[in-house]
Amino acid sequence: MKRKQIVAGNWKMNMNFDEGRDLAISIVRKLGPLKNEVILCPPFIHLNYLSVISKDIANLHIGAQNCHQKDKGAYTGEIAASMLKSVGCSYVILGHSERRQYFGEDGALLAAKVDTALANNLKPIFCVGEKLDAREAGKQEKVVEKQLKSGLFHLGETQFSNVVLAYEPVWAIGTGKTASPEQAQDMHQFIRKLVAQKYSVNIAEGTSILYGGSVKPANAKAIFSQADVDGGLIGGAALKAADFVSIINSFPQA
Ligand code: PGA
């Protein structure tokens, strides 16, 4: 089974409505026919507009950057997975290191969010990744294994097959430092091995694992050409249409 190659753009908390509309239009204009999947993950206010303009473009999808773990109710300021679905989202980023770090999201909370997302037919893009001190102490695999076990590995096989994984070393996010292609490959291979042990080799071979952390047009090709890297989760470079589209076009030709 050939797994999906994906480039997702995480706009984070950037772009007011007009800026976001212009960016999305500019990306769409530059895209050729898409061989791989592309996911735009803007702030909530853009989701409706983006899903309207991407509706008829094959392989272009919309994702959110977060959702609440409960279905609905008195949770002022929060967004439910069913609401995201209702404006055309197919994906939701969960477990991003900024959510873990600034909003205290831990494994138990993320497991609940993953369940709610899946119950509403949203595919989680589940992020894992170690901080610099863990990398320097050689503990990166331990950290990632723990994040996978606490947030995801309670899922059954069918549910898990709807999850996309993203390895994002925290020390590489927004810092201009990228993991080397070899560091990315090593961790992706390790993650795939864990998935194979927990589920099956078949499931592991079908799971897309994206790399994230300072991916740019200049380094995307080298990273995407690694055997276990199935694409990227792009932050800063997703805010520039030309850079983002160049990254989308960085997969090695089959
Ligand atoms: P970056 O962000 O590309 O700006 O490093 C990646 C991410 O946080 O998803």
Side-chain angles (χ1 to χ4, degrees):
M1 164 160 73
K2 182 119 178 49
R3 50 188 173 260
K4 270 190 212 162
Q5 292 182 313
I6 300 173
V7 172
N10 174 9
W11 294 10
K12 307 193 179 181
M13 196 173 73
N14 294 295
M15 301 281 143
N16 65 29
F17 187 79
D18 289 351
E19 292 164 344
R21 180 198 53 210
D22 293 352
L23 174 60
I25 290 173
S26 165
I27 291 170
V28 164
R29 285 207 179 120
K30 288 183 187 345
L31 287 176
L34 289 174
K35 289 190 226 98
N36 311 305
E37 209 162 288
V38 173
I39 309 167
L40 299 176
C41 304
F44 296 128
I45 61 154
H46 301 288
L47 291 171
N48 192 35
Y49 180 75
L50 263 60
S51 68
V52 170
I53 64 166
S54 63
K55 202 167 58 96
D56 297 325
I57 304 177
N59 286 328
L60 182 60
H61 300 280
I62 306 301
Q65 298 173 17
N66 183 30
C67 71
H68 197 265
Q69 65 275 22
K70 291 271 170 44
D71 280 331
K72 62 175 172 181
Y75 301 100
T76 301
E78 291 294 325
I79 298 276
S82 60
M83 297 172 188
L84 300 176
K85 194 72 197 172
S86 77
V87 290
C89 277
S90 334
Y91 288 90
V92 59
I93 298 173
L94 292 174
H96 191 280
S97 64
E98 287 150 18
R99 300 291 317 173
R100 293 178 190 266
Q101 188 173 347
Y102 304 135
F103 302 93
E105 299 196 354
D106 62 9
L109 176 65
L110 290 171
K113 290 191 176 202
V114 164
D115 289 345
T116 305
L118 288 168
N120 286 281
N121 293 318
L122 288 174
K123 295 178 182 164
I125 302 172
F126 190 83
C127 305
V128 294
E130 79 286 357
K131 294 191 184 143
L132 185 60
D133 55 348
R135 166 66 61 169
E136 283 173 348
K139 294 197 172 127
Q140 63 272 19
E141 291 188 348
K142 269 204 171 60
V143 171
V144 166
E145 182 167 0
K146 192 167 166 225
Q147 290 170 335
L148 287 170
K149 283 188 172 157
S150 60
L152 270 191
F153 280 3
H154 63 289
L155 295 176
E157 234 178 74
T158 314
Q159 290 174 308
F160 186 83
S161 58
N162 287 310
V163 174
V164 171
L165 295 176
Y167 169 55
E168 299 205 305
V170 179
W171 47 272
I173 296 178
T175 58
K177 276 189 218 158
T178 329
S180 68
E182 295 71 31
Q183 284 173 320
Q185 168 58 22
D186 285 352
M187 182 59 86
H188 283 226
Q189 194 173 32
F190 172 71
I191 292 171
R192 204 176 300 287
K193 189 185 81 187
L194 292 178
V195 174
Q197 281 164 359
K198 169 70 192 170
Y199 297 99
S200 67
V201 172
N202 238 357
I203 297 271
E205 287 300 317
T207 302
S208 299
I209 309 177
L210 315 184
Y211 169 80
S214 298
V215 178
K216 308 277 180 246
N219 58 27
K221 268 202 177 76
I223 295 172
F224 292 0
S225 63
Q226 299 300 310
D228 286 290
V229 177
D230 307 307
L233 178 55
I234 319 299
L239 301 175
K240 293 186 198 124
D243 285 6
F244 188 59
V245 172
S246 157
I247 292 170
I248 291 167
N249 295 327
S250 292
F251 287 105
Q253 298 303 321

